[in-house]
């Protein structure tokens, strides 16, 4: 790895990346990852990671576990025969590719396409037939399934039969009373792939056959009886045929893999690359990383940046930017204050972005692409090379000066340290000045006041400091850009108990120029603190304003919601009113129709007067119900005890009548109700469920028992529909059936006459659909025969 990359610990980040890879080959690729050579390549790598991270957020990250197939595919292309292990690996490659394609389809979104990842997914090769055949034929890297071919299945069946026959012959021998004394043990074993029996050495000649082996002690010889030699020979021949068939199957599969080597190799490389990309997304999740804006112009602006190798609970996020108004940053501050960490964070995150990795920074952070990142960080003293710390640093810096150009980011820690302070400071200023001259971006840490002054006086160079709390004698690790850091040596010494006289003597030894500089730095720090306080107050006022705006917006939304609710209620009331008008109008029409039939009766005028009075009363009720400010008299606190279902008896609050539910509530809350001969739709809020049927009269409630008793006295056991038109007959039949049910009659007679049979068929059709009718039949002799229908009520 590049020495500078290793100094910035890129190798450690890549080791973390490798831990999230699913395959050994991908882990190697992760370790070999380097920043892209051009801005366009780096942006393409980052786009792949961003797109994969977005898709993984929808569907989860797919698992990719691949063996190393590169050599196997090359050999297959040349016509070589693969091993069973390699064929199984090819099946896994096909299966993983098919799974990835399915994952992409599920996570891609409706009508959405992943333009960046599509080329990789298009390389995935699927051959489900070959995959299934390989999995079905190969049980393990050492075993081929019987069903791999019909010939293999037949051979193995014959082998099992030959084994069984040989064992039968040998079983007879070992169970024979004649040979029991000749045998060392009564068992059948194998030697050299042939069935044998253990015979005592002294009875070697008693069992005729071929001797294949002798025990270590010589007391036992293993004899193949002549009676099984033929079977053993047959087994040997069948096993040879089995090996030839297995070799043929493997060769055939290898040839098929060789024919598909091109797409298989493309799919293999695509899956390795996808595995690496998904490893990047897993690492991003672990680091709580986000997408940076990678640019070739402007500068770097890292917001709340965290060094990825420092534990999250210990790291203090920093804001650091470089470029734009200044291309050189001089960082000062006490030791262990975080200067080196800031330097490494800037360099490491720049390299990570070049590798296509998401960064542990806040949203909208910007990273400039650099062709080279050069670093001199740490103690470069080498005993072997006899170099001092200063010499080691200078050796590195000389190398850096030879490589740095306009596309370089140069990071230098403790520039000029390790030698005479005056000479070291002069060298540091000269080195920074040179790097600025060649156009490189520079970030350097130092303790020298001369370099701080140089940064204050030179355009394009800016001071920064790592904040230090003198009261607690501890660094805050905050990076403050625009303010040079103080040495704090006198303040720290005083806090630690050094006598004031010694501190004062030391102050006298400091040059007047340095004293004025420290006073200037202190003044700047005081000004910064005051501005920081004002900024916090302004931020607090902004938050209060935002909160007030949010509350006002919330109140407006609540008002709009209440308005919508009121409008919805008004619409429901209007709909209920329309239903009420329709219901009452239909009822009035029925009464008028019935009145027409009574025009010849004596009380016709009185009936007309009653209807007129009822109609006027109805118009008055209708006007009252249409009043939007009318006080409701019904109980709005009532809630149905359960959802209504077909057959439930309900009371219509608006109409003061009863009905039967025909269809339960729709998605708007309206229920279809049958009230007598009429069907209407009523909102469920205007219905009351009659768990126990009751009747309500204008004068108050009376029990069902009272109504039934009263009705029994009025209801007749028969009704005549002869001479009526169809509509009239049906209305009268419905009214009669309702009255009969209310009166508790069990059986009723409907007289419709014989005639053409039209009215009879209509009556029976209505009885068949009526919920209160259990059954019906034609009248018998003495009841009216075909002219009447007898109905049994529920």
């Amino acid at each position: 790895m590049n020495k500078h990359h290793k100094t910035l610990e890129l190798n450690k980040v890549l080791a973390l990346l490798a831990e999230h890879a699913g395959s050994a080959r991908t882990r190697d690729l992760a370790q070999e990852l380097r920043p892209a050579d051009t801005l366009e390549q780096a942006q393409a790598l980052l786009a792949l990671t961003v797109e994969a991270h977005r898709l993984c957020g929808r569907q989860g990250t797919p698992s990719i576990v691949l063996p190393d197939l590169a050599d196997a595919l090359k050999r297959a292309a040349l016509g070589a025969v693969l091993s069973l292990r390699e064929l199984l690996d090819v099946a896994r490659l096909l299966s993983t590719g098919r799974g990835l394609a399915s994952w992409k389809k599920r996570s891609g979104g409706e009508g959405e396409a992943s333009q960046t990842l599509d080329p990789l997914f298009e390389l995935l090769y699927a051959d489900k037939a070959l995959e299934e055949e390989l999995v079905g034929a190969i049980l393990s890297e050492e075993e081929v399934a019987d069903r791999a071919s019909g010939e293999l299945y037949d051979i193995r069946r014959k082998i099992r039969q030959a084994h069984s026959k040989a064992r039968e012959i040998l079983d007879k021998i070992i169970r024979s009373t004649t040979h029991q004394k000749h045998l060392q043990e009564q068992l059948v074993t194998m030697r050299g792939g042939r069935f044998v029996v253990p015979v005592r050495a002294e009875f070697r000649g008693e069992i005729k056959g071929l001797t294949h082996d002798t025990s270590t002690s010589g007391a036992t010889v293993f004899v193949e009886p002549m009676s099984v030699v033929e079977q053993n020979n047959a087994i040997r021949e069948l096993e040879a045929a089995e090996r030839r068939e297995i070799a043929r199957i493997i060769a055939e599969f290898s040839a098929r893999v060789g024919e598909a080597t091109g797409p298989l190799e493309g799919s293999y490389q695509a899956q390795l690359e996808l595995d690496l990309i998904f490893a990047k997304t897993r690492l991003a999740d672990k680091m709580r990383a986000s997408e940076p804006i990678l640019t070739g112009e402007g500068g770097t602006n890292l917001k709340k940046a965290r060094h990825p190798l420092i534990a999250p609970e210990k790291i203090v996020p920093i804001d650091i930017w470089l470029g734009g108004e200044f291309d050189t940053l001089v960082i000062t501050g006490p030791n262990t204050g975080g200067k080196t960490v800031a330097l490494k964070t800037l360099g490491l995150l720049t390299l990570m972005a070049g590798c296509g990795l998401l960064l542990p920074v806040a949203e909208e952070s910007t990273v400039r692409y650099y062709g080279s990142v050069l670093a001199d960080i740490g103690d470069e003293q080498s005993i072997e090379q006899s170099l001092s710390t200063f010499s080691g640093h200078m050796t590195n810096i000389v190398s850096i000066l030879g490589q740095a150009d306009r596309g370089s980011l140069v990071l230098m820690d403790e520039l000029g340290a390790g030698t005479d302070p005056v000479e070291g400071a002069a060298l540091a200023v000269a080195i920074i000045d040179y790097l600025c001259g060649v156009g490189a971006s520079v970030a350097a840490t130092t303790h020298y006041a001369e370099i701080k002054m140089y940064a204050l006086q030179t355009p394009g160079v800016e001071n920064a400091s790592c904040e230090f709390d003198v009261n607690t004698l501890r660094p805050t690790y905050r990076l403050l850009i625009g303010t040079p850091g103080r040495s704090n040596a006198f303040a720290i010494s005083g806090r630690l108990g050094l006598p004031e006289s010694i501190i004062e003597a030391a102050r006298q030894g400091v040059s007047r120029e340095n004293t004025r500089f420290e006073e200037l730095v202190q003044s700047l720090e005081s000004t910064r603190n005051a501005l920081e306080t004002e900024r916090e107050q302004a931020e607090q006022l902004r938050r209060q304003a935002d909160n007030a705006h949010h509350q006002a917006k919330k109140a407006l939304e609540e008002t709009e919601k209440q308005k919508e609710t009121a409008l919805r209620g008004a619409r429901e009331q209007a709909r209920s009113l329309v239903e009420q008008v329709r219901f009452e109008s239909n009822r009035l029409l029925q009464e008028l129709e019935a009145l027409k039939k009574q025009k010849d009766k004596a009380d016709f005028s009185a009936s007309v007067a009653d209807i007129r009075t009822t109609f006027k009363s109805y118009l008055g009720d209708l006007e009252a119900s249409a009043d939007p400010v009318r006080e409701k008299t019904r109980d709005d606190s009532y809630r149905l005890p359960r959802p209504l279902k077909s057959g439930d008896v309900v009371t219509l609050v608006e109409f003061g009548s009863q009905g039967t539910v025909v269809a339960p509530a729709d998605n708007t809350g309206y229920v279809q109700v049958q009230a007598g001969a009429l069907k209407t739709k009523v909102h469920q809020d205007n219905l009351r469920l009659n768990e126990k049927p009751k009747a309500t009269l204008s004068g108050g409630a009376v029990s069902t028992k009272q109504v039934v008793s009263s009705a029994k006295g009025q209801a007749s056991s028969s009704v005549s529909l002869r001479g009526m038109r169809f509509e009239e007959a049906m209305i009268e039949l419905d009214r009669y059936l309702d009255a009969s049910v209310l009166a508790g009659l069990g059986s009723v007679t409907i007289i419709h006459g014989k005639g053409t049979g039209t009215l009879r068929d209509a009556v029976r059709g209505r009885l068949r659909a009526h919920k209160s009718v259990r059954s019906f039949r034609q009248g018998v002799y003495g009841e009216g025969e075909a002219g009447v229908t007898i109905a049994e009520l529920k």
Side-chain angles (χ1 to χ4, degrees):
M1 174 174 279
N2 181 305
K3 170 186 175 183
H4 302 287
H5 296 175
K6 195 169 184 179
T7 298
L8 293 170
E9 301 179 297
L10 177 62
N11 57 316
K12 295 181 180 179
V13 173
L14 297 182
L16 292 178
L17 176 63
E19 292 177 3
H20 294 283
S23 303
R25 179 59 187 142
T26 313
R27 287 191 283 274
D28 293 339
L29 292 176
Q31 299 276 16
E32 297 165 3
L33 192 62
R34 299 293 180 268
D37 293 332
T38 65
L39 171 63
E40 292 72 19
Q41 292 175 0
Q43 289 174 332
L45 287 175
L46 186 60
L48 289 170
T49 308
V50 171
E51 181 64 18
H53 195 258
R54 181 182 68 84
L55 295 181
C56 291
R58 295 179 177 179
Q59 191 66 26
T61 307
S63 176
I64 303 176
V65 180
L66 287 175
D68 191 348
L69 269 172
D71 291 341
L73 293 177
K74 289 179 182 178
R75 288 191 293 104
L78 297 173
V81 176
L82 303 182
S83 66
L84 293 179
R85 175 73 270 165
E86 290 170 332
L87 290 174
L88 283 176
D89 289 344
V90 171
R92 179 179 294 179
L93 174 67
L94 292 169
S95 174
T96 304
R98 191 162 48 82
L100 284 171
S102 176
W103 175 88
K104 171 63 169 55
K105 186 176 181 181
R106 292 194 309 272
S107 60
E110 295 182 3
E112 238 177 276
S114 164
Q115 299 299 325
T116 52
L117 286 174
D118 277 351
L120 286 175
F121 280 98
E122 288 170 1
L123 288 173
L124 298 177
Y125 176 65
D127 187 341
K128 193 172 182 180
L130 177 58
E131 175 193 338
E132 291 178 347
E133 288 179 35
L134 285 170
V135 172
I138 304 173
L139 299 179
S140 70
E141 55 187 86
E142 296 178 351
E143 185 178 2
V144 176
D146 292 355
R147 298 291 182 179
S149 73
E151 180 67 20
L152 182 61
Y153 179 82
D154 188 54
I155 291 171
R156 288 184 172 173
R157 179 179 58 79
K158 291 178 179 178
I159 289 174
R160 288 190 291 270
Q161 290 176 348
H163 279 183
S164 178
K165 191 170 182 180
R167 281 188 171 277
E168 287 179 5
I169 297 172
L170 292 171
D171 285 344
K172 290 180 181 178
I173 292 175
I174 63 176
R175 289 197 301 268
S176 169
T177 55
T178 305
H179 296 296
Q180 283 183 2
K181 63 181 179 179
H182 304 145
L183 300 175
Q184 193 70 260
E185 294 180 83
Q186 290 184 338
L187 58 83
V188 176
T189 184
M190 297 192 76
R191 287 294 185 275
R194 303 178 74 88
F195 286 108
V196 296
V197 293
V199 179
R200 294 180 180 179
E202 60 269 27
F203 297 115
R204 184 192 304 250
E206 297 299 327
I207 297 180
K208 304 299 183 183
L210 305 176
T211 301
H212 287 278
D213 197 4
T214 304
S215 66
T216 305
S217 64
T220 305
V221 292
F222 296 93
V223 177
E224 176 186 4
M226 294 303 297
S227 55
V228 295
V229 169
E230 184 178 348
Q231 288 301 320
N232 278 334
N233 289 340
I235 291 171
R236 280 298 188 90
E237 292 174 2
L238 289 170
E239 288 175 344
E242 177 189 28
R243 288 191 294 272
R244 289 193 298 272
E245 180 61 15
I246 290 174
R248 186 195 66 78
I249 293 170
I250 295 174
E252 183 179 325
F253 277 133
S254 299
R256 292 176 63 180
V257 171
E259 292 171 359
T261 297
L264 283 172
E265 284 183 337
S267 182
Y268 177 62
Q269 295 301 326
Q271 289 183 44
L272 288 177
E273 190 167 347
L274 285 171
D275 189 19
L276 181 59
I277 293 171
F278 290 132
K280 293 179 181 180
T281 67
R282 295 187 186 97
L283 180 61
D285 290 337
K286 182 178 180 180
M287 295 190 304
R288 303 194 309 276
S290 62
E291 173 191 0
I293 301 170
L294 187 58
T295 178
E297 298 179 355
T300 293
N301 184 4
L302 300 177
K303 302 176 182 179
K304 299 189 182 304
R306 292 167 278 119
H307 195 288
L309 299 177
I310 300 178
E313 65 274 8
K314 295 181 179 180
I315 189 67
V316 176
I318 61 172
D319 294 334
I320 183 169
W321 60 94
L322 179 64
E325 296 181 0
F326 57 90
D327 290 320
T328 300
L329 190 64
V330 175
I331 305 174
T332 55
N335 291 329
T336 70
K339 301 190 303 297
T340 303
V341 171
L343 211 61
K344 283 190 171 184
T345 301
L346 174 61
L348 180 56
L349 297 191
T350 301
L351 294 174
M352 289 172 61
C355 293
L357 294 169
L358 303 187
L359 306 183
V361 295
E363 299 286 345
E364 302 301 322
S365 291
T366 302
V367 179
R368 177 180 170 183
Y369 171 83
Y370 291 99
S372 61
V373 178
L374 309 171
D376 175 54
I377 299 175
D379 187 359
E380 297 293 335
Q381 184 174 6
S382 171
I383 296 176
E384 292 180 1
Q385 298 178 11
S386 300
L387 296 177
S388 67
T389 299
F390 177 76
S391 299
H393 279 299
M394 280 300 110
T395 301
N396 282 339
I397 289 172
V398 168
S399 174
I400 288 172
L401 294 177
Q403 301 177 59
D405 55 23
R406 186 171 296 276
S408 300
L409 171 63
V410 180
L411 307 171
M412 296 178 290
D413 193 25
E414 299 295 350
L415 182 60
T419 188
D420 177 77
V422 176
E423 294 181 353
L427 274 173
V429 170
I431 290 169
I432 293 175
D433 205 42
Y434 174 83
L435 291 170
C436 291
V438 300
S441 297
V442 180
T445 67
T446 184
H447 286 286
Y448 293 138
E450 291 84 354
I451 302 180
K452 301 177 192 178
M453 187 65 71
Y454 169 78
L456 286 172
Q457 297 173 345
T458 307
V461 183
E462 186 61 87
N463 273 301
S465 62
C466 290
E467 191 178 49
F468 189 85
D469 190 337
V470 179
N471 295 321
T472 61
L473 300 181
R474 294 179 65 85
T476 66
Y477 299 106
R478 292 177 59 202
L479 183 67
L480 307 174
I481 294 181
T483 304
R486 298 173 60 196
S487 64
N488 294 309
F490 295 156
I492 294 173
S493 299
R495 293 283 297 173
L496 293 174
L498 189 67
E500 182 63 29
S501 58
I502 297 177
I503 296 175
E504 186 60 31
R507 283 197 181 98
Q508 296 300 323
V510 177
S511 67
R512 183 59 186 162
E513 290 75 10
N514 284 342
T515 302
R516 285 201 303 270
F517 179 76
E518 287 294 324
E519 290 172 353
L520 175 62
V521 170
Q522 183 175 4
S523 175
L524 289 172
E525 188 169 351
S526 299
T527 302
R528 181 191 62 77
N529 290 332
L531 291 173
E532 186 81 11
T533 301
E534 292 180 6
R535 188 189 65 79
E536 291 177 357
Q537 292 174 350
E539 182 66 20
Q540 184 177 3
L541 290 174
R542 186 191 65 78
R543 285 197 297 267
Q544 292 175 354
D546 288 346
N547 186 51
H549 174 72
H550 176 72
Q551 294 296 333
K553 184 177 179 182
K554 186 176 180 182
L556 179 61
E557 291 175 351
E558 186 64 27
T559 301
E560 290 293 331
K561 187 182 297 184
Q562 292 175 358
K563 176 183 174 181
E564 181 63 27
T565 302
L567 287 174
R568 187 164 55 249
R571 293 190 191 100
E572 292 181 357
Q573 183 179 358
R575 182 171 177 176
S576 176
L577 188 61
V578 170
E579 291 292 338
Q580 183 179 355
V581 170
R582 183 182 292 114
F583 179 82
E584 294 293 345
S585 299
N586 288 335
R587 189 173 68 177
L588 181 60
L589 289 174
Q590 290 178 20
E591 292 181 359
L592 290 173
E593 188 70 25
L595 188 61
K596 286 168 59 179
K597 300 174 185 177
Q598 301 174 9
K599 62 183 180 178
D600 297 330
K601 294 185 179 179
D603 59 348
F604 178 72
S605 298
S607 299
V608 171
D610 290 342
I611 291 176
R612 184 179 292 112
T613 301
T614 301
F615 183 66
K616 288 181 178 179
S617 175
Y618 162 67
L619 288 178
D621 293 341
L622 192 60
E623 289 175 358
S625 65
D627 184 0
V629 297
R630 179 174 63 91
E631 182 179 357
K632 297 292 184 180
T633 57
R634 61 187 176 89
D635 181 12
D636 289 333
S637 64
Y638 176 82
R639 294 291 181 270
L640 289 169
R642 59 173 173 81
L644 297 175
K645 59 184 180 180
S646 300
D648 284 340
V649 178
V650 294
T651 298
L652 288 72
V653 176
E654 299 289 345
F655 308 144
S657 58
Q658 291 187 344
T660 303
V661 175
V662 176
D666 58 18
N667 55 6
T668 63
Y670 278 83
V671 182
Q672 190 172 10
V673 179
Q674 176 88 36
L678 300 177
K679 286 185 180 178
T680 184
K681 281 192 173 182
V682 184
H683 197 276
Q684 59 187 4
D685 291 343
N686 295 325
L687 297 176
R688 301 290 183 268
L689 177 62
N690 293 355
E691 296 286 2
K692 296 180 180 179
K694 295 180 180 180
T696 304
L697 301 179
S698 59
V702 295
S703 69
T704 304
K705 181 176 181 182
Q706 290 173 331
V707 175
V708 172
S709 298
S710 174
K712 280 186 177 179
Q714 299 176 4
S716 170
S717 62
S718 66
V719 63
S720 176
L721 306 178
R722 288 175 297 180
M724 294 184 182
R725 290 184 291 112
F726 174 82
E727 292 82 7
E728 296 173 340
M730 294 301 101
I731 292 173
E732 179 62 21
L733 177 59
D734 286 335
R735 184 199 63 75
Y736 174 72
L737 290 174
D738 291 342
S740 298
V741 171
L742 190 62
L745 299 180
S747 176
V748 295
T749 301
I750 298 97
I751 304 170
H752 43 66
K754 297 180 181 179
T756 62
T758 302
L759 184 57
R760 178 193 62 205
D761 294 340
V763 166
R764 293 179 180 177
R766 182 59 61 90
L767 293 175
R768 187 176 292 108
H770 202 286
K771 296 182 179 298
S772 299
V773 176
R774 177 180 289 108
S775 62
F776 60 88
R777 61 179 176 82
Q778 180 176 298
V780 297
Y781 179 76
E783 292 178 329
E785 300 179 325
V788 301
T789 296
I790 312 299
E792 298 292 329
L793 303 181
K794 295 180 180 178

